[in-house]
Amino acid sequence: MSDQTQAGESPEKTSSPAPSRRALLGWGGAGLALGAVAAGGAVAAVRTENDAVPAADSGAAVPFHGAHQAGIATAVQDRLHFAAFDVTTKDRAELIALLKEWTRAAERMTAGHAVGDGAYGGLAEAPPDDTGEALGLKPSRLTLTIGFGPSLFAKGRFGLEDKRPEALVDLPKFPGDNLDAARSGGDLCVQACADDPQVAVHAIRNLARIGMGRTAIRWSQLGFGKTSSTTPDAQTPRNMMGFKDGTRNISGTDTAALDKHVWVGPKDDAGWMTGGSYLVARRIRMHIETWDRAPLQEQEDVFGRDKGEGAPVGKAKERDEPFLKAMLPTAHVRLAHPDSNGGATILRRGYSFTDGTDGLGRLDAGLFFLAYQRDVRKAFIPLQRRLAAHDALNEYIQHVGSAHFAVPPGVRDKGDWWGRALFS
Amino acid sequence: MRAVRFSVVTAAATVAALTAVTGCAQKSDGKGDGALQVVAKDDSCEVSKKKLPAGHIELAVQNKGSKVTEVYVLFPDDRIVAERENIGPGTKATITAEIKAGSYEVACKPGMKGHGIRQKLEVTGGNAAKRSPEMDKAVADYRTYVQAQADETLPKAKKFTDAVAAGDIEAAKKIYADSRLGWERTEPVAESFGDIDPKVDIREDGLEDGQKWTGWHRLEKALWQDKKLGAEEKALAPVLYKDLLDWQKRVGTADITPTSMANGAKELLDEVATGKVTGEEERYSHTDLIDFKGNVEGAEKSYELLKPIASKNDAALTATLDKRFAELNTLLDKYRKDKSSYEFTSYEKVGKADRKELSDAVNALAEPLSRLAAAVTK
C-alpha cells in the first residue's frame, strides 16, 4: 500500500483495521496517545496489571505503558529485531537522557507514530527525525523491551555497582559453548517484536540513531517464525529442525504462573526490579545439513516427540501430558521438562534465524533463544547445565552467542521512563 | 569521490542570481550609460560610484598602475560575481554583469595576487537576497581556508610528483599522504569540480569502462603494491600536478553557502565512515588515518566558522558537537606519537575492535553534525 492511499485522502480506505503512521501523525500531532482510539477499539489504552490482553489483530498497537514491559507476556509476534548496545558515554546524565529519549521514541513507535517531527515536511537542509521506512505501515503489534546487562553495573562506570541484582549473574561457561564475543554481551538490549519485519527493523534503527554518541550497537539479530507460543490455544510453531517447539510454554494469560516464574517479586533481591524479569539470549546455531541427513527415528528420539503431530513419545496428541520415562534419557524434551529440573520453568520467546550461508556453503541458521524468568540461577542455568551435559540435540547444535539482561518493570505513564527506578 | 554537492559558479548555475559577462574589453570605450569607472593603481582602486541600480551594469576599468592587475566584483562572502584578469599597465577593460540588489565589493588586485584593494558597492532596487553579515563572514572565511588549503597543497604535490617522475620511490612514499592533506580537508569543495576529482582522487574500482586511471591512487598502487615506477607512472606524475593546478585556480569560484558548509562538514565525516574507517581509501599505503584526520580537521573548520550562528539557535547542539569533536580528536591522537605531526599508525595495524571504536566515534559526531545545517538556517 502506498503512502498516498494511507494519507487520509481516501476515505474509502478506512477498511484497514488500524490507521497508518502517517494518518496518525496527521490527526494527532506530537504527544497524543492515539493508538487505541484510532485503532477501531482493537486494544485498550493501558494494559491491565498482568499484561494479559493478547492483541489478536496483527495490525493493532500494543499499549506501551503498564506494570510490566510489553514484549514478554504479550502474544508472540511474527518477527524480531534484537539489538545489544555498548554504552559509549561515560557520563551518567547522558545515559539517563538517552533512556528518556528512547522511552519517548518507543511510546511513539509502538503506537504507530513516526519519531520526533516525522520523516518528511521538515527543513530541506536537515535530515528528518524519522527514517521513514515504516510510513504507511500499521503499528503491527510492535513491542520494545529494554534490558540492562551486567557490564552496565561495573564499578567506576555509572555508580550502579550497588544496584546490581544478585540474580544478574555472569552466566557460567557451559560445556560445548563456542561463544563469539562479537555476538555476546552488551550493556543494554532492546528487543523489538512486531508482525511486520520492517516495523521491527525501523524501531531498532531509529533507537540506534538516537543513541549515537552515547551508545553503539554491539550486535543484533533478526528473527522470524516464532518458535514458542505464549498463547496455548494457537498452533505451536515449528523450529528450523521441523519440530514443534514450545508446546509447554508459559501462557501470557496465566497470571499465577507469570507471577511465580517470570516477574520479579518485591521480596526478591533488587527492589528496583519489582515487576521486571531476567532475559537470557542465546544464538544457537543448528548444523542443518547433518540434521537433515539424520534418520526420522533418530530425529524423533532426539526430541522425544513425533515430527508430524508433536505428540510426546507414546502419546497421541501434542498437548497430551508427556511420560518422561518413555523417552530416551538424553531426549531434549525429557531433559528440559520442569519435572526433570525441580519445577524450573522459563518463558520462551525465541525466533528462528537464517543469516544466509557461512562461506562453507552451510546454512547459517538456528534458533535465537530468548527466555524470561524470575531468576536465572533457578531457571536457565540449571536447565542449561543439564542440557549441555546430556542433551542428544547437542550433536546438531552449538551455542555461539550469549547475553544476560535485567529487564526492568514497565513504564507506567508519560512521565515515567525506562530504568527510572534504577537511576533514581 | 562522490557526486557533486557544491555547485561551481558557471553561467548556467547562476542565471537566477546574475549573469556575468566578461571580455570584449577593446570594443567598449567605457563611457556607456551607467558605467562604473574603476581606476586601478598599484596602491589604490577608485570607484566612481558607491551606489548603482540593480540590473545590467558595466565596469569601465583603467589600469593606471605599473603592474598587471585583475578586477573582481564580489559577493560579501567573496564569491565571484564577475571578473577580468590580465589587465596590463596602461590598458583599459570592460566588465559587464547582471546584478541583483545587495552589497558587493569591487576588488583590484595589482600583480594579480592576494586579497586586493577593496571598495564597497551597493546595488539597490529589485529583489535582494538578504543574508546576515555573520553568515557572509563565515562563508568568506571558509572560502579563504579552502583557497589556502589548495595553495599549500601545490608545493607538496610538486614534491610528490617530481619524486615519482624521477623514479625515487622512497621520496615519493614519504610525501604521498602529506600531499593529499589539503585536498582531504576540503574534499566536498574539491569534489564539486566534477571534472577534476575523477582525475586526481579516483580509486581503481571507481573507474568507468574505458576510463584511464590517473591520480594519487594510481601512483599509490605503483609505489606500494607494484613497488616500481615505470615509464607510464612517471608520465602520469606531471598530469596529476597539472590537474591539481587546475583545482587551485578554480577552487575560489565554488558556490559556498552556510548550509553547504554545514552539510559539507557532515559529508567529510561520511567520507571517513564509508571509505577510511574500512581501509578502502588507502588500501596500498594504509595511510587512511592521515586522510581521516584531514577530513575531521576540515569538518571542524566549517563547524568553528558556523558555531557563532548555530550556538545562538541551538546551544545544546553546539555543546554536543564541541564534545564529540574533542572525543574523536582524542581518539585519533592515540594513533600518533606526536600531536604536531601527521605520522599516524599504519591502518593495517589497527585491529577490528579499534576500527569499530573509530567507527562508533565517527557516527557519534556525524549524527549531531547532520543537524548543524538546520541550526544555521533557523
Side-chain angles (χ1 to χ4, degrees):
Chain A
M1 208 176 288
S2 73
D3 275 351
Q4 283 68 33
T5 57
Q6 286 280 309
E9 295 142 8
S10 315
E12 70 276 12
K13 290 287 177 188
T14 48
S15 60
S16 66
S20 72
R21 283 153 196 274
R22 189 163 160 183
L24 281 168
L25 197 64
W27 297 348
L32 265 178
L34 267 184
V37 183
V43 288
V46 174
R47 282 172 296 119
T48 54
E49 177 67 17
N50 287 306
D51 193 8
V53 183
D57 182 338
S58 69
V62 176
F64 180 74
H65 299 126
H68 311 293
Q69 290 195 70
I72 303 171
T74 309
V76 180
Q77 300 92 324
D78 291 333
R79 302 290 184 142
L80 169 82
H81 191 187
F82 187 95
F85 295 84
D86 290 324
V87 175
T88 52
T89 180
K90 295 183 171 71
D91 183 342
R92 179 182 162 111
E94 271 198 347
L95 174 57
I96 290 171
L98 167 79
L99 292 169
K100 289 178 178 171
E101 284 174 48
W102 268 9
T103 307
R104 302 286 85 88
E107 277 168 350
R108 291 190 60 82
M109 290 192 287
T110 52
H113 297 285
V115 173
D117 290 334
Y120 60 94
L123 267 182
E125 294 86 358
D129 286 351
D130 187 278
T131 54
E133 75 274 26
L135 284 176
L137 300 177
K138 296 171 190 172
S140 307
R141 295 199 301 131
L142 172 69
T143 55
L144 293 167
T145 314
I146 198 170
F148 303 131
S151 49
L152 194 72
F153 299 84
K155 207 168 176 190
R157 286 196 78 186
F158 303 104
L160 297 173
E161 57 267 29
D162 297 336
K163 296 251 187 144
R164 176 171 173 174
E166 283 175 25
L168 188 65
V169 295
D170 295 318
L171 293 178
K173 178 175 184 323
F174 299 99
D177 278 3
N178 182 21
L179 303 181
D180 176 357
R183 290 190 191 274
S184 299
D187 295 326
L188 301 172
C189 74
V190 179
Q191 170 197 283
C193 297
D195 290 325
D196 184 324
Q198 185 132 329
V199 170
V201 169
H202 168 264
I204 293 296
R205 176 174 164 193
N206 279 273
L207 294 181
R209 188 176 174 213
I210 291 168
M212 278 176 186
R214 295 170 287 188
T215 56
I217 290 212
R218 182 178 174 87
W219 54 271
S220 85
Q221 182 67 54
L222 292 173
F224 64 91
K226 57 191 177 192
T227 60
S228 348
S229 171
T230 52
T231 41
D233 48 339
Q235 155 105 338
T236 303
R238 291 176 188 272
N239 63 19
M240 291 294 284
M241 288 172 155
F243 277 76
K244 288 185 181 177
D245 196 4
T247 300
R248 275 292 301 256
N249 207 13
I250 297 175
S251 163
T253 53
D254 187 345
T255 311
L258 290 168
D259 284 341
K260 186 172 177 194
H261 298 295
V262 179
W263 306 131
V264 175
K267 289 182 181 156
D268 293 350
D269 73 86
W272 66 270
M273 274 292 286
T274 305
S277 190
Y278 292 94
L279 167 64
V280 170
R282 307 278 287 185
R283 188 176 194 268
I284 306 174
R285 175 85 186 268
M286 292 173 177
H287 303 312
I288 296 286
E289 290 77 10
T290 55
W291 173 258
D292 290 346
R293 290 194 283 269
L296 176 63
Q297 188 63 53
E298 183 189 340
Q299 291 188 3
E300 293 187 337
D301 286 348
V302 161
F303 273 93
R305 288 180 181 272
D306 74 44
K307 200 163 186 175
E309 163 65 24
V313 173
K315 299 293 175 90
K317 290 289 173 197
E318 182 196 341
R319 293 187 196 284
D320 289 348
E321 192 57 34
F323 179 55
L324 298 179
K325 285 183 178 160
M327 300 173 184
L328 293 181
T330 56
H332 181 70
V333 166
R334 180 170 176 174
L335 289 166
H337 198 277
D339 291 353
S340 305
N341 294 283
T345 306
I346 55 179
L347 184 152
R348 277 163 295 157
R349 277 188 76 91
Y351 287 81
S352 290
F353 70 85
T354 302
D355 293 342
T357 40
D358 67 358
L360 294 174
R362 304 180 302 180
L363 200 62
D364 182 4
L367 169 65
F368 189 67
F369 171 93
L370 294 169
Y372 287 90
Q373 61 251 284
R374 190 170 170 176
D375 189 335
V376 293
R377 294 168 298 180
K378 294 173 185 154
F380 176 76
I381 292 176
L383 191 61
Q384 182 56 25
R385 279 216 167 100
R386 183 175 300 270
L387 289 170
H390 305 294
D391 192 355
L393 200 51
N394 290 336
E395 191 177 338
Y396 298 104
I397 62 172
Q398 188 171 53
H399 289 233
V400 293
S402 176
H404 184 199
F405 300 96
V407 174
V411 173
R412 282 180 301 193
D413 51 42
K414 289 260 170 196
D416 197 7
W417 45 279
W418 271 337
R420 181 184 48 79
L422 170 61
F423 287 92
S424 304
Chain B
M1 176 189 141
R2 296 163 322 178
V4 172
R5 289 214 166 87
F6 283 77
S7 66
V8 176
V9 173
T10 64
T14 54
V15 158
L18 65 126
T19 308
V21 185
T22 60
C24 305
Q26 280 68 32
K27 288 182 184 170
S28 170
D29 59 3
K31 286 175 186 166
D33 287 346
L36 182 72
Q37 307 289 330
V38 179
V39 178
K41 295 182 183 169
D42 289 351
D43 53 1
S44 70
C45 183
E46 292 164 19
V47 178
S48 62
K49 292 177 199 171
K50 304 276 182 203
K51 275 190 181 171
L52 284 177
H56 181 82
I57 69 158
E58 195 169 293
L59 277 72
V61 181
Q62 294 182 62
N63 185 358
K64 293 190 174 173
S66 65
K67 296 175 182 166
V68 177
T69 192
E70 54 191 2
V71 175
Y72 290 84
V73 182
L74 299 166
F75 285 112
D77 63 10
D78 273 8
R79 188 153 42 99
I80 299 164
V81 179
E83 61 161 331
R84 178 139 182 98
E85 297 173 18
N86 285 316
I87 306 168
T91 66
K92 293 178 182 178
T94 305
I95 305 168
T96 60
E98 289 289 325
I99 299 189
K100 284 197 164 188
S103 298
Y104 299 87
E105 283 185 331
V106 174
C108 304
K109 296 192 181 178
M112 296 182 37
K113 279 197 293 200
H115 184 69
I117 305 157
R118 307 276 183 116
Q119 300 297 338
K120 297 238 180 277
L121 186 64
E122 284 297 317
V123 177
T124 55
N127 293 323
K130 267 234 150 215
R131 270 226 305 257
S132 71
E134 55 187 351
M135 285 207 190
D136 285 332
K137 184 178 183 321
V139 170
D141 288 351
Y142 186 63
R143 188 180 298 285
T144 304
Y145 172 75
V146 164
Q147 186 66 56
Q149 289 304 312
D151 293 348
E152 286 168 22
T153 295
L154 264 293
K156 293 176 185 171
K158 185 88 173 52
K159 254 190 181 173
F160 173 66
T161 55
D162 281 354
V164 172
D168 189 342
I169 292 181
E170 283 317 304
K173 277 180 162 180
K174 227 173 167 179
I175 184 85
Y176 168 77
D178 201 27
S179 79
R180 296 174 43 77
L181 202 51
W183 177 275
E184 291 294 328
R185 284 180 183 136
T186 59
E187 212 165 353
V189 184
E191 285 180 343
S192 72
F193 302 95
D195 58 330
I196 300 176
D197 185 53
K199 290 188 226 166
V200 306
D201 197 32
I202 199 163
R203 298 196 297 268
E204 192 168 17
D205 39 298
L207 294 173
E208 290 174 27
D209 280 349
Q211 186 185 346
K212 188 174 154 59
W213 188 21
T214 61
W216 270 305
H217 295 300
R218 168 76 179 76
L219 299 174
E220 179 206 357
K221 189 183 181 191
L223 290 168
W224 275 273
Q225 175 91 342
D226 308 336
K227 298 183 171 67
K228 60 173 192 272
L229 294 169
E232 199 188 335
E233 289 77 28
K234 287 176 185 171
L236 282 174
V239 176
L240 171 60
Y241 183 69
K242 185 179 72 64
D243 291 334
L244 290 172
L245 263 180
D246 190 25
W247 162 55
Q248 182 199 21
K249 191 157 175 260
R250 287 159 63 193
V251 71
T253 62
D255 189 9
I256 300 171
T257 64
T259 49
S260 76
M261 279 172 65
N263 284 324
K266 176 199 73 82
E267 284 158 22
L268 281 164
L269 270 292
D270 293 346
E271 292 276 339
V272 177
T274 51
K276 274 81 174 185
V277 91
T278 57
E280 284 170 82
E281 177 84 14
E282 304 290 359
R283 63 186 64 166
Y284 310 111
S285 65
H286 307 297
T287 53
D288 302 87
L289 286 175
I290 306 170
D291 290 6
F292 190 145
K293 181 69 180 174
N295 287 157
V296 173
E297 285 179 339
E300 200 162 9
K301 182 71 186 183
S302 282
Y303 167 61
E304 290 296 339
L305 292 173
L306 293 171
K307 194 173 146 188
I309 304 162
S311 63
K312 278 188 219 160
N313 297 326
D314 193 342
L317 178 66
T318 51
T320 299
L321 287 171
D322 285 342
K323 198 166 167 219
R324 300 279 180 257
F325 268 115
E327 285 167 357
L328 184 55
N329 281 320
T330 304
L331 185 58
L332 276 171
D333 283 342
K334 273 173 51 179
Y335 297 94
R336 58 175 174 178
K337 283 188 195 121
D338 174 2
K339 284 185 197 173
S340 65
S341 105
Y342 285 86
E343 274 178 38
F344 282 84
T345 307
S346 172
Y347 205 58
E348 62 183 337
K349 291 185 185 145
V350 178
K352 214 171 157 188
D354 289 332
R355 287 184 185 200
K356 178 162 192 301
E357 188 184 25
L358 286 163
S359 175
D360 288 343
V362 169
N363 283 333
L365 171 59
E367 192 60 36
L369 200 54
S370 73
R371 301 202 300 271
L372 181 61
V376 169
T377 52
K378 258 177 200 169

